[in-house]
Amino acid sequence: MKRILLSLIGALFFAATMSAQESGLVSSTEYSFTETKVMPKMNKTTTRQGTMVFVSPDRLTMDYHQPAGDYTHITGDSFDVCKNGKVQHFPVKDPTNRMSLFRATLLYCLGGEVDKAAELNHAEKTFSNEANKHICTLTVENAAPKDIAMLRLEYDARSSRLLSLTITEGNGNYTVYALDRQ
């Protein structure tokens, strides 16, 4: 009984500690990042690199230098992506729109608001530790092929700084954003 009680207290302490340590990017700080997109069924992987600035709560600029000219820019009322010279403007007014949901999820995760990201995506939130990292995983059951099925946020165990964000789609494709503070 004593062992069970101590285990329960330890688990509650770990959960409380993880909630307190959820940390996003430092607002207005420039980060270098590498984006790796993996499409397992097509046996295809692409890598892009650039700089990212998140300004809490709703601004994000991701400017790529490999390939040069690509970008993702998010403001309070816009979501624009340029890839290979082609610019796409995604609607953000309708919160049920897939890209509007993705935009909000990305902003919540980068801002350290994983509870809001979990609620928005009807996801289950779990925590774990792995090699000097705290891991927060949000899992969505029965996600459609192009929708978010899982989010994995890795934090440095010492500083609580966000190290990487992995977004997995329902079709198994996933994108990893590995972040370095400049």
Side-chain angles (χ1 to χ4, degrees):
M1 180 69 173
K2 192 175 193 180
R3 193 177 289 179
I4 293 171
L5 184 59
L6 287 174
S7 294
L8 182 58
I9 290 170
L12 291 172
F13 176 76
F14 175 74
T17 301
M18 286 305 297
S19 291
Q21 290 180 345
E22 291 168 2
S23 178
L25 300 180
V26 177
S27 187
S28 301
T29 299
E30 187 170 296
Y31 294 83
S32 61
F33 73 96
T34 300
E35 174 192 287
T36 304
K37 173 86 174 175
V38 179
M39 295 171 270
K41 292 177 184 172
M42 297 176 63
N43 197 25
K44 183 177 179 182
T45 301
T46 59
T47 302
R48 304 188 310 161
Q49 296 179 330
T51 57
M52 173 188 300
V53 177
F54 171 73
V55 180
S56 184
D58 61 2
R59 292 190 178 278
L60 175 67
T61 60
M62 298 169 66
D63 293 314
Y64 296 85
H65 55 264
Q66 289 182 337
D70 284 5
Y71 63 80
T72 297
H73 293 168
I74 294 174
T75 66
D77 58 1
S78 69
F79 181 9
D80 301 322
V81 175
C82 178
K83 188 170 184 180
N84 299 322
K86 184 179 177 183
V87 178
Q88 292 182 288
H89 305 284
F90 296 106
V92 297
K93 301 266 189 252
D94 178 4
T96 63
N97 175 282
R98 183 176 67 85
M99 292 305 288
S100 181
L101 181 69
F102 175 77
R103 172 190 168 275
T105 300
L106 183 61
L107 291 171
Y108 285 148
C109 287
L110 295 177
E113 298 181 272
V114 294
D115 287 338
K116 287 184 179 180
E119 183 179 329
L120 183 64
N121 288 279
H122 309 287
E124 179 183 327
K125 182 172 68 169
T126 59
F127 294 104
S128 62
N129 285 316
E130 215 177 86
N132 299 322
K133 295 178 187 175
H134 294 301
I135 312 295
C136 177
T137 304
L138 305 180
T139 307
V140 178
E141 288 203 30
N142 304 317
K146 289 284 189 177
D147 289 345
I148 296 170
M150 186 173 70
L151 296 159
R152 177 183 164 106
L153 297 104
E154 296 184 4
Y155 298 92
D156 180 89
R158 294 178 82 112
S159 68
S160 297
R161 183 177 69 81
L162 182 63
L163 301 172
S164 71
L165 167 64
T166 302
I167 302 169
T168 303
E169 299 172 29
N171 61 12
N173 293 346
Y174 61 95
T175 306
V176 179
Y177 297 93
L179 305 164
D180 287 315
R181 192 171 182 172
Q182 290 192 325

